[in-house]
Amino acid sequence: MSRDQIFFIVFLFIFATINIYLFGSGSLSADWSGLGTFIAAGITLSLYSFLYKDNPLFKFAENLYVGVAAAYTITQVWYNVLWVDVVDPLSELGSDESLGNLWLIVPTLLGFFMLTQLSSAKFSWLSRIAFAFVVGLGAGLAIPRTIAANLLAQIQPTMGPITADLAGFNLFIILVGVVTVLVYFFYSVEHTGPVGVASKIGIWFLMISFGASFGYTIMARLSLLIGRVGFLLEDWLVLPLPLF
Amino acid sequence: MKEFLLNIDRRIIFIFVALGVIIPALTSFNLPINPTPNVQSIYDTIEEVGAKNGTILISFDYGPGSFPEVQPMALAVLRHCFKRNVKVVGMCLWPQAVGLAQQALDTASKELDAEYGSDYVFLGFKTGFHSLVINMGHDFHGTFPQDSPGNNTTELPVTQNIKGLADFDYVLCLAAGNTPDGIWIPYGQERYKFKFGLGCTAVMAPDQFPYLQSGQMNGMMGGLAGAAEYETLVQASGTATEGMRPQSVVHLIIIAFIILGNVMYFLYGRQKGGAQ
């Protein structure tokens, strides 16, 4: 028996023993709530077992998550969107008041056209009509709004007057950062002399920005770990935190 | 020893990180949490909205994967709103957020006796992203004719006078993806000019700062630290405040490993052409 197999069996044994004790002592209630906590604890530990190495428990938990998330999304879309906005209004089309809902047939048909992509070549061309609509609508909406919100609205404060106070100093740093990073990504001129210096300053700005992003990423991942550890200690092991 | 320090097994680092989380979680010591201006700004805006009995829209755009970071923000903001009689309209651009939003609304409303329909309304999830936000901007009741339980939004006290997004006194997005900078700002805030705030995961936070500088957002809570700052402001210590102890300890551990790695690299690694 390999070392990994021994680890696997010992892990299952410890997990089973702890749960028998928790259910036996009444710390975990013998109902759906207790069962949910037990399953959540098992899946959490299975997923973190990947930190040791890839293993069947991790694979099981990973695939289970994908399946559950997909099923949950489908039910939400069905009950909150398809049922309320499509099935319900279309099923009432017989009454006079609901004639205004006739236009719903168009997007519904386009939706069905999208599904024809999964069929044979005889019908799959219909999906192009739906995709053309989505691409056209998406581009038409996105281009002006993205330019307005992400470009013009950002340029305006960057080009504000630099005053002799802290706010002005911040603005000056932002201005230098924007200009030097743009110079770094300007490849039509050789990066030598003043252009090279500006480009190097641009690299420093980029490095600091990557460092800030990495720092925030560490903080985010640790927050998730803290959340899971808190769940395991308080909800599963029912420890009255803090102990000391 | 030198070889060991130049090539520390990642599992040893994991053990240090695990201990850095577990031990502070079991022990009791408090670290000062000072709210930053960006978090304070959201708090102040909700105070202003409360002073005129206004309405805010909270968009819950996150899933279980970011629950520990964003859910404490949701709870802290909802508690603040219900304490100050701010009417709340909740909605989701992410289908995975529905259960989490419902849980947060139920918890906060029970604690502060907020009544469904007159104090808060939950619209649930609706697909469409950008087209949904644009439609909400000019025809709120047409976009959401019914709330999540099936009541007509034209009849509920909280939503009956809302014609479009501009009628909300504040829009707060609690996000774990691209909905603030990809949806709410370009298709909502820029077009309908409402006051907009953000609570987001720490991973997203650095990319959102430009929108603060441009004034498209008036405040931001970033990650667990942002949530803890808001909990401090509303004087309701929760999981975010508790999480600051392990967070700070592990940050120190990681900084120590970074310093150790760099010292070893500059002392020995470069002589060998880099650590292996």
Side-chain angles (χ1 to χ4, degrees), chain A residues 44-45 48 222-237 239 241, chain B residues 17-26 68 246:
Chain A
T44 301
L45 292 171
Y48 277 118
L222 281 177
S223 304
L224 304 185
L225 175 65
I226 291 163
R228 284 294 81 195
V229 169
F231 163 78
L232 290 173
L233 296 175
E234 275 192 296
D235 297 342
W236 180 49
L237 296 175
L239 296 175
L241 296 181
Chain B
V17 169
L19 291 174
V21 171
I22 293 168
I23 294 170
L26 295 173

PDB file of all heavy atoms in Angstrom, chain A residues 44-45 48 222-237 239 241, chain B residues 17-26 68 246:
ATOM      1  N   THR A  44     -15.558  20.563   1.639  1.00  0.00           N
ATOM      2  CA  THR A  44     -14.499  21.555   1.898  1.00  0.00           C
ATOM      3  C   THR A  44     -13.149  20.862   2.088  1.00  0.00           C
ATOM      4  O   THR A  44     -12.144  21.244   1.462  1.00  0.00           O
ATOM      5  CB  THR A  44     -14.851  22.380   3.161  1.00  0.00           C
ATOM      6  OG1 THR A  44     -16.096  23.018   2.951  1.00  0.00           O
ATOM      7  CG2 THR A  44     -13.786  23.427   3.449  1.00  0.00           C
ATOM      8  N   LEU A  45     -13.133  19.835   2.940  1.00  0.00           N
ATOM      9  CA  LEU A  45     -11.871  19.134   3.196  1.00  0.00           C
ATOM     10  C   LEU A  45     -11.381  18.413   1.938  1.00  0.00           C
ATOM     11  O   LEU A  45     -10.173  18.374   1.666  1.00  0.00           O
ATOM     12  CB  LEU A  45     -12.047  18.136   4.350  1.00  0.00           C
ATOM     13  CG  LEU A  45     -12.286  18.781   5.722  1.00  0.00           C
ATOM     14  CD1 LEU A  45     -12.663  17.737   6.759  1.00  0.00           C
ATOM     15  CD2 LEU A  45     -11.046  19.550   6.182  1.00  0.00           C
ATOM     16  N   TYR A  48      -9.737  21.015  -0.281  1.00  0.00           N
ATOM     17  CA  TYR A  48      -8.427  21.451   0.224  1.00  0.00           C
ATOM     18  C   TYR A  48      -7.388  20.332   0.193  1.00  0.00           C
ATOM     19  O   TYR A  48      -6.188  20.598   0.296  1.00  0.00           O
ATOM     20  CB  TYR A  48      -8.558  22.034   1.633  1.00  0.00           C
ATOM     21  CG  TYR A  48      -8.977  23.491   1.609  1.00  0.00           C
ATOM     22  CD1 TYR A  48     -10.169  23.914   2.169  1.00  0.00           C
ATOM     23  CD2 TYR A  48      -8.177  24.441   0.996  1.00  0.00           C
ATOM     24  CE1 TYR A  48     -10.557  25.242   2.113  1.00  0.00           C
ATOM     25  CE2 TYR A  48      -8.551  25.765   0.931  1.00  0.00           C
ATOM     26  CZ  TYR A  48      -9.745  26.160   1.497  1.00  0.00           C
ATOM     27  OH  TYR A  48     -10.118  27.479   1.427  1.00  0.00           O
ATOM     28  N   LEU A 222      -6.984  34.434   0.864  1.00  0.00           N
ATOM     29  CA  LEU A 222      -6.935  34.155   2.302  1.00  0.00           C
ATOM     30  C   LEU A 222      -8.307  34.346   2.934  1.00  0.00           C
ATOM     31  O   LEU A 222      -8.688  33.599   3.839  1.00  0.00           O
ATOM     32  CB  LEU A 222      -5.941  35.089   2.985  1.00  0.00           C
ATOM     33  CG  LEU A 222      -4.477  34.693   2.829  1.00  0.00           C
ATOM     34  CD1 LEU A 222      -3.587  35.729   3.481  1.00  0.00           C
ATOM     35  CD2 LEU A 222      -4.216  33.334   3.433  1.00  0.00           C
ATOM     36  N   SER A 223      -9.046  35.335   2.442  1.00  0.00           N
ATOM     37  CA  SER A 223     -10.390  35.570   2.982  1.00  0.00           C
ATOM     38  C   SER A 223     -11.262  34.336   2.780  1.00  0.00           C
ATOM     39  O   SER A 223     -12.036  33.962   3.654  1.00  0.00           O
ATOM     40  CB  SER A 223     -11.047  36.758   2.289  1.00  0.00           C
ATOM     41  OG  SER A 223     -10.241  37.889   2.407  1.00  0.00           O
ATOM     42  N   LEU A 224     -11.114  33.714   1.616  1.00  0.00           N
ATOM     43  CA  LEU A 224     -11.903  32.502   1.340  1.00  0.00           C
ATOM     44  C   LEU A 224     -11.483  31.376   2.286  1.00  0.00           C
ATOM     45  O   LEU A 224     -12.323  30.643   2.816  1.00  0.00           O
ATOM     46  CB  LEU A 224     -11.727  32.067  -0.118  1.00  0.00           C
ATOM     47  CG  LEU A 224     -12.064  33.117  -1.185  1.00  0.00           C
ATOM     48  CD1 LEU A 224     -11.958  32.524  -2.578  1.00  0.00           C
ATOM     49  CD2 LEU A 224     -13.464  33.682  -0.974  1.00  0.00           C
ATOM     50  N   LEU A 225     -10.164  31.259   2.500  1.00  0.00           N
ATOM     51  CA  LEU A 225      -9.670  30.231   3.422  1.00  0.00           C
ATOM     52  C   LEU A 225     -10.190  30.507   4.836  1.00  0.00           C
ATOM     53  O   LEU A 225     -10.655  29.589   5.528  1.00  0.00           O
ATOM     54  CB  LEU A 225      -8.127  30.216   3.411  1.00  0.00           C
ATOM     55  CG  LEU A 225      -7.469  29.281   4.420  1.00  0.00           C
ATOM     56  CD1 LEU A 225      -7.781  27.834   4.104  1.00  0.00           C
ATOM     57  CD2 LEU A 225      -5.955  29.482   4.441  1.00  0.00           C
ATOM     58  N   ILE A 226     -10.131  31.774   5.250  1.00  0.00           N
ATOM     59  CA  ILE A 226     -10.612  32.143   6.592  1.00  0.00           C
ATOM     60  C   ILE A 226     -12.094  31.806   6.727  1.00  0.00           C
ATOM     61  O   ILE A 226     -12.528  31.269   7.746  1.00  0.00           O
ATOM     62  CB  ILE A 226     -10.357  33.646   6.853  1.00  0.00           C
ATOM     63  CG1 ILE A 226      -8.854  33.901   6.987  1.00  0.00           C
ATOM     64  CG2 ILE A 226     -11.085  34.127   8.101  1.00  0.00           C
ATOM     65  CD1 ILE A 226      -8.450  35.350   6.849  1.00  0.00           C
ATOM     66  N   GLY A 227     -12.860  32.084   5.687  1.00  0.00           N
ATOM     67  CA  GLY A 227     -14.288  31.766   5.710  1.00  0.00           C
ATOM     68  C   GLY A 227     -14.533  30.279   5.882  1.00  0.00           C
ATOM     69  O   GLY A 227     -15.388  29.859   6.663  1.00  0.00           O
ATOM     70  N   ARG A 228     -13.773  29.469   5.152  1.00  0.00           N
ATOM     71  CA  ARG A 228     -13.954  28.012   5.235  1.00  0.00           C
ATOM     72  C   ARG A 228     -13.483  27.472   6.580  1.00  0.00           C
ATOM     73  O   ARG A 228     -14.117  26.595   7.165  1.00  0.00           O
ATOM     74  CB  ARG A 228     -13.178  27.316   4.102  1.00  0.00           C
ATOM     75  CG  ARG A 228     -13.800  27.408   2.726  1.00  0.00           C
ATOM     76  CD  ARG A 228     -15.114  26.672   2.606  1.00  0.00           C
ATOM     77  NE  ARG A 228     -16.259  27.412   3.114  1.00  0.00           N
ATOM     78  CZ  ARG A 228     -17.439  26.906   3.386  1.00  0.00           C
ATOM     79  NH1 ARG A 228     -17.674  25.626   3.217  1.00  0.00           N
ATOM     80  NH2 ARG A 228     -18.422  27.635   3.835  1.00  0.00           N
ATOM     81  N   VAL A 229     -12.354  28.001   7.077  1.00  0.00           N
ATOM     82  CA  VAL A 229     -11.858  27.537   8.385  1.00  0.00           C
ATOM     83  C   VAL A 229     -12.859  27.917   9.468  1.00  0.00           C
ATOM     84  O   VAL A 229     -13.164  27.114  10.362  1.00  0.00           O
ATOM     85  CB  VAL A 229     -10.444  28.129   8.675  1.00  0.00           C
ATOM     86  CG1 VAL A 229     -10.046  27.883  10.120  1.00  0.00           C
ATOM     87  CG2 VAL A 229      -9.415  27.514   7.734  1.00  0.00           C
ATOM     88  N   GLY A 230     -13.415  29.126   9.358  1.00  0.00           N
ATOM     89  CA  GLY A 230     -14.437  29.552  10.311  1.00  0.00           C
ATOM     90  C   GLY A 230     -15.637  28.617  10.293  1.00  0.00           C
ATOM     91  O   GLY A 230     -16.166  28.247  11.342  1.00  0.00           O
ATOM     92  N   PHE A 231     -16.051  28.210   9.076  1.00  0.00           N
ATOM     93  CA  PHE A 231     -17.179  27.268   8.949  1.00  0.00           C
ATOM     94  C   PHE A 231     -16.835  25.940   9.615  1.00  0.00           C
ATOM     95  O   PHE A 231     -17.649  25.383  10.369  1.00  0.00           O
ATOM     96  CB  PHE A 231     -17.506  27.056   7.466  1.00  0.00           C
ATOM     97  CG  PHE A 231     -18.347  25.848   7.207  1.00  0.00           C
ATOM     98  CD1 PHE A 231     -19.709  25.867   7.445  1.00  0.00           C
ATOM     99  CD2 PHE A 231     -17.755  24.668   6.745  1.00  0.00           C
ATOM    100  CE1 PHE A 231     -20.478  24.731   7.231  1.00  0.00           C
ATOM    101  CE2 PHE A 231     -18.524  23.533   6.525  1.00  0.00           C
ATOM    102  CZ  PHE A 231     -19.883  23.554   6.776  1.00  0.00           C
ATOM    103  N   LEU A 232     -15.626  25.426   9.336  1.00  0.00           N
ATOM    104  CA  LEU A 232     -15.244  24.124   9.891  1.00  0.00           C
ATOM    105  C   LEU A 232     -15.183  24.169  11.421  1.00  0.00           C
ATOM    106  O   LEU A 232     -15.643  23.241  12.096  1.00  0.00           O
ATOM    107  CB  LEU A 232     -13.885  23.678   9.331  1.00  0.00           C
ATOM    108  CG  LEU A 232     -13.864  23.286   7.844  1.00  0.00           C
ATOM    109  CD1 LEU A 232     -12.444  23.022   7.378  1.00  0.00           C
ATOM    110  CD2 LEU A 232     -14.730  22.064   7.575  1.00  0.00           C
ATOM    111  N   LEU A 233     -14.630  25.250  11.968  1.00  0.00           N
ATOM    112  CA  LEU A 233     -14.465  25.323  13.419  1.00  0.00           C
ATOM    113  C   LEU A 233     -15.792  25.607  14.131  1.00  0.00           C
ATOM    114  O   LEU A 233     -16.104  24.974  15.136  1.00  0.00           O
ATOM    115  CB  LEU A 233     -13.447  26.409  13.788  1.00  0.00           C
ATOM    116  CG  LEU A 233     -12.005  26.185  13.311  1.00  0.00           C
ATOM    117  CD1 LEU A 233     -11.140  27.391  13.651  1.00  0.00           C
ATOM    118  CD2 LEU A 233     -11.403  24.933  13.924  1.00  0.00           C
ATOM    119  N   GLU A 234     -16.549  26.540  13.581  1.00  0.00           N
ATOM    120  CA  GLU A 234     -17.767  26.978  14.293  1.00  0.00           C
ATOM    121  C   GLU A 234     -18.998  26.158  13.944  1.00  0.00           C
ATOM    122  O   GLU A 234     -19.735  25.730  14.835  1.00  0.00           O
ATOM    123  CB  GLU A 234     -18.045  28.450  13.974  1.00  0.00           C
ATOM    124  CG  GLU A 234     -17.268  29.392  14.874  1.00  0.00           C
ATOM    125  CD  GLU A 234     -17.754  30.819  14.747  1.00  0.00           C
ATOM    126  OE1 GLU A 234     -17.615  31.370  13.649  1.00  0.00           O
ATOM    127  OE2 GLU A 234     -18.243  31.376  15.745  1.00  0.00           O
ATOM    128  N   ASP A 235     -19.221  25.928  12.658  1.00  0.00           N
ATOM    129  CA  ASP A 235     -20.459  25.259  12.239  1.00  0.00           C
ATOM    130  C   ASP A 235     -20.348  23.740  12.269  1.00  0.00           C
ATOM    131  O   ASP A 235     -21.316  23.051  12.593  1.00  0.00           O
ATOM    132  CB  ASP A 235     -20.852  25.712  10.830  1.00  0.00           C
ATOM    133  CG  ASP A 235     -21.154  27.194  10.783  1.00  0.00           C
ATOM    134  OD1 ASP A 235     -21.398  27.764  11.859  1.00  0.00           O
ATOM    135  OD2 ASP A 235     -21.131  27.783   9.700  1.00  0.00           O
ATOM    136  N   TRP A 236     -19.183  23.211  11.881  1.00  0.00           N
ATOM    137  CA  TRP A 236     -19.047  21.752  11.831  1.00  0.00           C
ATOM    138  C   TRP A 236     -18.592  21.194  13.192  1.00  0.00           C
ATOM    139  O   TRP A 236     -19.281  20.363  13.774  1.00  0.00           O
ATOM    140  CB  TRP A 236     -18.041  21.373  10.730  1.00  0.00           C
ATOM    141  CG  TRP A 236     -17.816  19.894  10.591  1.00  0.00           C
ATOM    142  CD1 TRP A 236     -18.777  18.935  10.493  1.00  0.00           C
ATOM    143  CD2 TRP A 236     -16.561  19.227  10.543  1.00  0.00           C
ATOM    144  NE1 TRP A 236     -18.186  17.692  10.382  1.00  0.00           N
ATOM    145  CE2 TRP A 236     -16.815  17.849  10.408  1.00  0.00           C
ATOM    146  CE3 TRP A 236     -15.242  19.652  10.584  1.00  0.00           C
ATOM    147  CZ2 TRP A 236     -15.810  16.900  10.330  1.00  0.00           C
ATOM    148  CZ3 TRP A 236     -14.233  18.715  10.492  1.00  0.00           C
ATOM    149  CH2 TRP A 236     -14.523  17.351  10.369  1.00  0.00           C
ATOM    150  N   LEU A 237     -17.446  21.707  13.695  1.00  0.00           N
ATOM    151  CA  LEU A 237     -16.946  21.193  14.976  1.00  0.00           C
ATOM    152  C   LEU A 237     -17.644  21.838  16.181  1.00  0.00           C
ATOM    153  O   LEU A 237     -17.449  21.405  17.315  1.00  0.00           O
ATOM    154  CB  LEU A 237     -15.431  21.415  15.071  1.00  0.00           C
ATOM    155  CG  LEU A 237     -14.599  20.658  14.030  1.00  0.00           C
ATOM    156  CD1 LEU A 237     -13.129  21.032  14.135  1.00  0.00           C
ATOM    157  CD2 LEU A 237     -14.760  19.149  14.181  1.00  0.00           C
ATOM    158  N   LEU A 239     -17.268  24.647  17.777  1.00  0.00           N
ATOM    159  CA  LEU A 239     -16.394  25.192  18.819  1.00  0.00           C
ATOM    160  C   LEU A 239     -16.851  26.607  19.167  1.00  0.00           C
ATOM    161  O   LEU A 239     -17.140  27.399  18.275  1.00  0.00           O
ATOM    162  CB  LEU A 239     -14.937  25.229  18.327  1.00  0.00           C
ATOM    163  CG  LEU A 239     -14.274  23.884  18.032  1.00  0.00           C
ATOM    164  CD1 LEU A 239     -12.887  24.101  17.444  1.00  0.00           C
ATOM    165  CD2 LEU A 239     -14.184  23.041  19.290  1.00  0.00           C
ATOM    166  N   LEU A 241     -15.980  29.892  19.527  1.00  0.00           N
ATOM    167  CA  LEU A 241     -14.801  30.741  19.263  1.00  0.00           C
ATOM    168  C   LEU A 241     -14.985  32.126  19.889  1.00  0.00           C
ATOM    169  O   LEU A 241     -16.097  32.630  19.931  1.00  0.00           O
ATOM    170  CB  LEU A 241     -14.583  30.871  17.759  1.00  0.00           C
ATOM    171  CG  LEU A 241     -14.250  29.579  17.015  1.00  0.00           C
ATOM    172  CD1 LEU A 241     -14.034  29.891  15.533  1.00  0.00           C
ATOM    173  CD2 LEU A 241     -13.047  28.886  17.591  1.00  0.00           C
TER     174      LEU A 241
ATOM    175  N   VAL B  17       0.605  28.741   6.660  1.00  0.00           N
ATOM    176  CA  VAL B  17      -0.597  29.548   6.380  1.00  0.00           C
ATOM    177  C   VAL B  17      -1.801  28.982   7.163  1.00  0.00           C
ATOM    178  O   VAL B  17      -2.564  29.738   7.780  1.00  0.00           O
ATOM    179  CB  VAL B  17      -0.891  29.589   4.858  1.00  0.00           C
ATOM    180  CG1 VAL B  17      -2.270  30.195   4.587  1.00  0.00           C
ATOM    181  CG2 VAL B  17       0.173  30.398   4.131  1.00  0.00           C
ATOM    182  N   ALA B  18      -1.936  27.644   7.159  1.00  0.00           N
ATOM    183  CA  ALA B  18      -3.054  27.013   7.877  1.00  0.00           C
ATOM    184  C   ALA B  18      -2.980  27.345   9.364  1.00  0.00           C
ATOM    185  O   ALA B  18      -3.993  27.721   9.981  1.00  0.00           O
ATOM    186  CB  ALA B  18      -3.031  25.505   7.656  1.00  0.00           C
ATOM    187  N   LEU B  19      -1.773  27.242   9.943  1.00  0.00           N
ATOM    188  CA  LEU B  19      -1.628  27.569  11.373  1.00  0.00           C
ATOM    189  C   LEU B  19      -1.893  29.049  11.613  1.00  0.00           C
ATOM    190  O   LEU B  19      -2.487  29.431  12.624  1.00  0.00           O
ATOM    191  CB  LEU B  19      -0.210  27.204  11.854  1.00  0.00           C
ATOM    192  CG  LEU B  19       0.084  25.702  11.903  1.00  0.00           C
ATOM    193  CD1 LEU B  19       1.552  25.466  12.260  1.00  0.00           C
ATOM    194  CD2 LEU B  19      -0.810  25.005  12.926  1.00  0.00           C
ATOM    195  N   GLY B  20      -1.471  29.867  10.656  1.00  0.00           N
ATOM    196  CA  GLY B  20      -1.685  31.314  10.765  1.00  0.00           C
ATOM    197  C   GLY B  20      -3.155  31.689  10.726  1.00  0.00           C
ATOM    198  O   GLY B  20      -3.551  32.745  11.212  1.00  0.00           O
ATOM    199  N   VAL B  21      -3.969  30.824  10.126  1.00  0.00           N
ATOM    200  CA  VAL B  21      -5.416  31.077  10.103  1.00  0.00           C
ATOM    201  C   VAL B  21      -6.082  30.472  11.341  1.00  0.00           C
ATOM    202  O   VAL B  21      -6.886  31.122  12.008  1.00  0.00           O
ATOM    203  CB  VAL B  21      -6.054  30.485   8.817  1.00  0.00           C
ATOM    204  CG1 VAL B  21      -7.572  30.557   8.890  1.00  0.00           C
ATOM    205  CG2 VAL B  21      -5.564  31.234   7.591  1.00  0.00           C
ATOM    206  N   ILE B  22      -5.719  29.223  11.653  1.00  0.00           N
ATOM    207  CA  ILE B  22      -6.432  28.499  12.726  1.00  0.00           C
ATOM    208  C   ILE B  22      -6.137  29.082  14.109  1.00  0.00           C
ATOM    209  O   ILE B  22      -7.062  29.333  14.891  1.00  0.00           O
ATOM    210  CB  ILE B  22      -6.086  26.986  12.675  1.00  0.00           C
ATOM    211  CG1 ILE B  22      -6.660  26.380  11.390  1.00  0.00           C
ATOM    212  CG2 ILE B  22      -6.643  26.262  13.896  1.00  0.00           C
ATOM    213  CD1 ILE B  22      -6.146  24.997  11.079  1.00  0.00           C
ATOM    214  N   ILE B  23      -4.858  29.317  14.405  1.00  0.00           N
ATOM    215  CA  ILE B  23      -4.513  29.777  15.766  1.00  0.00           C
ATOM    216  C   ILE B  23      -5.153  31.136  16.088  1.00  0.00           C
ATOM    217  O   ILE B  23      -5.802  31.277  17.128  1.00  0.00           O
ATOM    218  CB  ILE B  23      -2.979  29.776  15.975  1.00  0.00           C
ATOM    219  CG1 ILE B  23      -2.471  28.321  15.939  1.00  0.00           C
ATOM    220  CG2 ILE B  23      -2.600  30.431  17.308  1.00  0.00           C
ATOM    221  CD1 ILE B  23      -0.970  28.169  15.898  1.00  0.00           C
ATOM    222  N   PRO B  24      -5.044  32.149  15.219  1.00  0.00           N
ATOM    223  CA  PRO B  24      -5.725  33.417  15.540  1.00  0.00           C
ATOM    224  C   PRO B  24      -7.245  33.281  15.602  1.00  0.00           C
ATOM    225  O   PRO B  24      -7.901  34.024  16.324  1.00  0.00           O
ATOM    226  CB  PRO B  24      -5.321  34.342  14.391  1.00  0.00           C
ATOM    227  CG  PRO B  24      -4.089  33.761  13.846  1.00  0.00           C
ATOM    228  CD  PRO B  24      -4.218  32.289  14.005  1.00  0.00           C
ATOM    229  N   ALA B  25      -7.801  32.307  14.834  1.00  0.00           N
ATOM    230  CA  ALA B  25      -9.256  32.114  14.885  1.00  0.00           C
ATOM    231  C   ALA B  25      -9.683  31.562  16.244  1.00  0.00           C
ATOM    232  O   ALA B  25     -10.796  31.821  16.709  1.00  0.00           O
ATOM    233  CB  ALA B  25      -9.710  31.181  13.767  1.00  0.00           C
ATOM    234  N   LEU B  26      -8.796  30.784  16.864  1.00  0.00           N
ATOM    235  CA  LEU B  26      -9.126  30.189  18.159  1.00  0.00           C
ATOM    236  C   LEU B  26      -8.869  31.142  19.315  1.00  0.00           C
ATOM    237  O   LEU B  26      -9.387  30.950  20.414  1.00  0.00           O
ATOM    238  CB  LEU B  26      -8.304  28.909  18.376  1.00  0.00           C
ATOM    239  CG  LEU B  26      -8.581  27.745  17.417  1.00  0.00           C
ATOM    240  CD1 LEU B  26      -7.587  26.617  17.648  1.00  0.00           C
ATOM    241  CD2 LEU B  26      -9.998  27.228  17.592  1.00  0.00           C
ATOM    242  N   PRO B  68     -17.431  34.427   1.694  1.00  0.00           N
ATOM    243  CA  PRO B  68     -16.793  34.982   2.905  1.00  0.00           C
ATOM    244  C   PRO B  68     -16.401  36.445   2.777  1.00  0.00           C
ATOM    245  O   PRO B  68     -16.332  37.142   3.772  1.00  0.00           O
ATOM    246  CB  PRO B  68     -15.531  34.114   3.078  1.00  0.00           C
ATOM    247  CG  PRO B  68     -15.764  32.898   2.273  1.00  0.00           C
ATOM    248  CD  PRO B  68     -16.647  33.316   1.134  1.00  0.00           C
ATOM    249  N   PRO B 246      -6.869  36.478  11.690  1.00  0.00           N
ATOM    250  CA  PRO B 246      -6.069  35.552  10.861  1.00  0.00           C
ATOM    251  C   PRO B 246      -5.504  36.215   9.613  1.00  0.00           C
ATOM    252  O   PRO B 246      -4.370  35.924   9.212  1.00  0.00           O
ATOM    253  CB  PRO B 246      -7.060  34.444  10.498  1.00  0.00           C
ATOM    254  CG  PRO B 246      -8.383  34.851  10.981  1.00  0.00           C
ATOM    255  CD  PRO B 246      -8.210  35.969  11.951  1.00  0.00           C
TER     256      PRO B 246
END
